Amino acid sequence: MRVILAEDSTLLREGLVRLLVEEGHEVVAAVGDGDALVEAVRASPPDAVVVDVRMPPTHTDEGLRATLEIRRLFPSVGVLVLSQYVEKRYAAELITHDADGIGYLLKDRVAQVGEFLEALDRVGAGGAAFDPEVVRQLLSRTSHTSPLGRLTARERDVLDQMAQGFTNASIADRMHVSQSAVEKHINAIFDKLELSHQPGYSRRVLAVLRYLGS
Amino acid sequence: MRERLRSAGRVTLGVAIGAATAFLDLCFVIVAGLTVGASWIWPRAREIVVPPVLAGARSLAGLERRRVVRYLGGVEEHEFTGWQAMRYLALRWVVGLLGLFVLFLLGFGLAVTGSMLLAWTTGFPWSFVESGGRVTWETVALAAIPGAVLLYLDLVGIAGVAGLDRALVRRILGPTANALLQRRVSELSESRALVVEAVDGERRRIERDLHDGVQQRLVALGMLLGRARRSQSPDKTAELLVQAHEESQQALHELREVSWRVYPAALDQQGLAAALENVADRSPVPVELDFALAGRPPRNVEAVAYFVVCEAVTNAAKHAGAHRVDVTISQSDKMIHVRIADDGVGGADASGGGLAGLARRVAALDGSFAVVSPAGGGTTITAELPCE
């Protein structure tokens, strides 16, 4: 894939470039702030963008601003956002727009090289990738009245994986069950949470995340 | 001695001016008393007469106070009302006249002494003691002792009048005890707010330190190890492992640095001198440390002194391009003086983040903090920390 990186720490930027090149991706540009990122994407739209939320000048949410801008200009470009902490507000902001090809990972997840690369591939292909930690936090807000409380432990595991952006096949692999078992669980989840059965994986993920974040 | 004479001269001049203005005060008090008293009968007239009278009283009292501040000292500026000014003027003319008498006695004494000595040296008859008398050295010797005593009494009288003048301004125009308390309370609430702000600033800095330093290194380390595990060639793996090993050393070093910046352990265990020696050792610019404290000051004072020096030395190295820094820690009664002077480019911004934070920390201890940094002329930072 053609990838553009935005990360203000030189150390990490260099490391990411090396990693992506080793994996056979083409790094079109590697920049250190939000404005430069938007410029680079305008100059040559890539398949995917990896962006750090905290960048100069204010070190707050520059990366997020740049992401929303890129989504507006080039909806087909997948964006993988790396965040210092899990910020529900950021996650919510990313999924309020119709978002195929959005990912939101904890920055430290980069150290789990395999997971990071997989998430990048999903986002680049128009799928979704949400950090298990983000999903866990969203899932943890259960109360007895919440329909989440009515899910079985198995169903919660499936929901957790689905919210991260995995396909049925991947979920089946990861849980060592058959695909049809996963589909059954998912149907049960959608019924219990009163979500419409959305076709398309990222839309399915968005439905779940919106539900969790609401 | 010369300074003392000069200040005595200034006080005498102040009393003399005060003696002259006493008549002005008295006239004003009489006129104001009559007009205001007369207007008391008609409420309508009162509204017309009283405000200008009070305004006049205020400006006249303001003049008197300016005279006291300038010539006699020991008084601070403070807001006062028209009625306070009236009360002040009603008493002030008495002090003025007293000053006039005292000065008159001084003049009279000097005239007598002068003429007597003149008669003694020229042999002219002198008719102060007996008519047509001659002044002999016995007369001079006899007059010298009481003369000296009278001169002394008179000088003390001048000082006394000056004291009365000051006391009157302080008592009537000065801040009341209540106002002083109010001022102190507002100072304290301000410094309390500043302390909270300083603490928040510190925390933000620590978070940034951890995030920008340690965490990035650990993520980079994890990436190197991840790449090593994924790599297919043994050579590549070995190379990545070497890099990862170095990176882990860097991360450890970074962590040590951050925790040392958060709070140097040496400060608690070995005291300020040891902690400052550490600062000097670690500084890229040569630091000359002159440490002269008898005992250990209180911990909070030590900590503030330490952070002031630390920040100043860091700035000297990082921004000022200094070639040497002189740090002086000295003590005078109940005060610790911290002074850091560098020979860098100057032009430091005292309202900038780091220095403003230091000023807040110092203010929290009721200390004073100053930055002198002319462009091109080095930077001198001083902090005075009270330690009870």
Side-chain angles (χ1 to χ4, degrees):
Chain A
M1 285 197 300
R2 299 172 72 255
V3 183
I4 291 184
L5 281 181
E7 158 66 62
D8 59 314
S9 153
T10 325
L11 183 76
L12 279 193
R13 198 164 60 218
E14 293 306 311
L16 280 167
V17 170
R18 291 243 172 79
L19 172 67
L20 293 176
V21 169
E22 275 167 24
E23 292 295 321
H25 296 300
E26 182 198 345
V27 179
V28 181
V31 296
D33 64 76
D35 293 345
L37 171 65
V38 176
E39 280 313 303
V41 173
R42 272 179 200 273
S44 165
D47 299 314
V49 168
V50 178
V51 53
D52 183 5
V53 171
R54 258 166 76 153
M55 285 191 293
T58 67
H59 291 274
T60 50
D61 59 357
E62 280 78 3
L64 200 71
R65 301 279 134 254
T67 300
L68 296 176
E69 178 77 353
I70 291 166
R71 301 293 303 171
R72 201 174 53 81
L73 297 168
F74 304 96
S76 63
V77 173
V79 182
L80 180 56
V81 179
L82 301 178
S83 175
Q84 174 68 16
Y85 307 104
V86 170
E87 297 272 4
K88 281 185 198 160
R89 192 172 55 84
Y90 292 170
E93 220 162 335
L94 286 170
I95 56 180
T96 45
H97 309 275
D98 177 45
D100 285 358
I102 268 285
Y104 182 72
L105 291 191
L106 267 184
K107 195 168 181 178
D108 305 356
R109 202 63 60 187
V110 173
Q112 312 286 338
V113 175
E115 285 181 38
F116 166 71
L117 291 166
E118 203 182 338
L120 182 62
D121 284 341
R122 283 213 302 276
V123 168
F130 283 83
D131 197 282
E133 189 57 35
V134 177
V135 175
R136 200 160 304 131
Q137 280 206 16
L138 293 174
L139 274 171
S140 69
R141 299 182 310 126
T142 53
S143 58
H144 290 294
T145 55
S146 153
L148 282 176
R150 298 203 301 267
L151 300 183
T152 64
R154 221 45 183 146
E155 284 164 355
R156 284 185 70 104
D157 285 346
V158 172
L159 176 65
D160 183 84
Q161 310 266 345
M162 185 166 58
Q164 287 178 45
F166 289 105
T167 59
N168 289 2
S170 318
I171 296 175
D173 275 356
R174 293 166 72 100
M175 293 179 63
H176 312 293
V177 292
S178 69
Q179 265 211 63
S180 64
V182 171
E183 274 160 26
K184 215 167 66 206
H185 284 310
I186 288 177
N187 286 334
I189 292 167
F190 274 75
D191 288 340
K192 285 181 183 174
L193 302 187
E194 294 165 0
L195 294 166
S196 56
H197 292 247
Q198 302 257 16
Y201 283 108
S202 68
R203 269 198 289 279
R204 203 174 68 160
V205 172
L206 283 177
V208 171
L209 286 171
R210 271 193 203 136
Y211 171 81
L212 292 175
S214 62
Chain B
M1 189 66 204
R2 180 180 306 175
E3 186 49 42
R4 191 157 288 181
L5 274 175
R6 192 174 303 154
S7 98
R10 206 175 42 231
V11 169
T12 310
L13 185 59
V15 171
I17 297 172
T21 55
F23 293 101
L24 196 61
D25 296 341
L26 183 55
C27 292
F28 181 86
V29 168
I30 290 167
V31 173
L34 287 175
T35 49
V36 172
S39 75
W40 224 248
I41 303 162
W42 301 285
R44 291 288 300 280
R46 213 183 312 166
E47 281 165 29
I48 299 166
V49 171
V50 173
V53 169
L54 289 185
R58 283 188 57 179
S59 45
L60 191 54
L63 274 176
E64 288 288 6
R65 187 180 59 188
R66 216 167 313 155
R67 172 183 63 81
V68 172
V69 167
R70 181 159 172 196
Y71 295 103
L72 313 180
V75 172
E76 54 176 298
E77 302 274 328
H78 187 77
E79 281 295 303
F80 54 86
T81 63
W83 290 110
Q84 274 177 309
M86 285 289 275
R87 264 209 353 256
Y88 169 77
L89 293 174
L91 293 168
R92 171 34 235 172
W93 65 268
V94 181
V95 178
L97 287 187
L98 184 62
L100 180 67
F101 288 132
V102 173
L103 288 173
F104 173 76
L105 282 179
L106 180 67
F108 182 75
L110 289 177
V112 170
T113 313
S115 65
M116 190 171 169
L117 291 177
L118 198 68
W120 181 43
T121 47
T122 56
F124 274 96
W126 190 68
S127 52
F128 232 104
V129 185
E130 49 199 70
S131 63
R134 289 265 178 275
V135 177
T136 61
W137 70 266
E138 290 102 329
T139 331
V140 175
L142 269 178
I145 294 169
V149 171
L150 284 173
L151 177 67
Y152 166 77
L153 285 178
D154 208 77
L155 292 177
V156 170
I158 291 175
V161 169
L164 277 177
D165 236 347
R166 277 188 217 114
L168 203 60
V169 170
R170 265 203 296 266
R171 177 65 61 83
I172 302 183
L173 301 183
T176 57
N178 213 346
L180 282 174
L181 272 177
Q182 289 241 333
R183 189 186 305 174
R184 183 70 187 136
V185 167
S186 69
E187 271 171 16
L188 284 175
S189 6
E190 193 178 338
S191 77
R192 192 184 59 171
L194 291 177
V195 174
V196 173
E197 217 173 293
V199 169
D200 283 349
E202 288 288 306
R203 292 197 164 181
R204 261 195 299 275
R205 199 184 53 117
I206 292 166
E207 195 270 348
R208 282 286 298 279
D209 257 2
L210 286 169
H211 167 243
D212 294 347
V214 181
Q215 196 181 7
Q216 311 279 32
R217 292 222 173 263
L218 288 174
V219 172
L221 170 65
M223 260 166 62
L224 284 167
L225 291 171
R227 281 166 57 200
R229 285 176 66 183
R230 291 172 75 87
S231 135
Q232 304 299 326
S233 90
D235 287 356
K236 181 82 182 167
T237 306
E239 186 198 328
L240 285 168
L241 280 177
V242 169
Q243 282 183 31
H245 190 229
E246 278 171 12
E247 197 57 63
S248 72
Q249 301 300 313
Q250 286 289 341
L252 276 172
H253 175 74
E254 194 87 44
L255 185 59
R256 239 196 337 267
E257 288 281 316
V258 169
S259 61
W260 190 81
R261 278 199 294 270
V262 171
Y263 201 89
L267 189 57
D268 269 345
Q269 291 148 18
Q270 303 151 46
L272 185 57
L276 289 181
E277 273 162 26
N278 272 341
V279 173
D281 292 342
R282 301 167 65 107
S283 164
V285 180
V287 173
E288 192 63 41
L289 180 62
D290 177 6
F291 189 90
L293 294 188
R296 273 192 77 169
R299 291 292 160 92
N300 56 350
V301 175
E302 266 192 341
V304 171
Y306 170 84
F307 283 112
V308 168
V309 174
C310 211
E311 178 80 21
V313 169
T314 308
N315 287 347
K318 216 193 272 185
H319 308 301
H323 299 300
R324 102 177 239 145
V325 184
D326 287 302
V327 177
T328 319
I329 313 281
S330 57
Q331 196 166 7
S332 63
D333 83 303
K334 292 193 177 163
M335 273 289 194
I336 299 229
H337 309 277
V338 179
R339 182 172 176 279
I340 306 100
D342 70 46
D343 59 355
V345 294
D349 177 14
S351 60
L355 289 178
L358 289 184
R360 288 197 287 261
R361 288 192 79 133
V362 173
L365 287 183
D366 266 342
S368 61
F369 180 80
V371 179
V372 179
S373 187
T379 302
T380 301
I381 292 176
T382 48
E384 316 269 315
L385 306 167
C387 58
E388 295 302 319

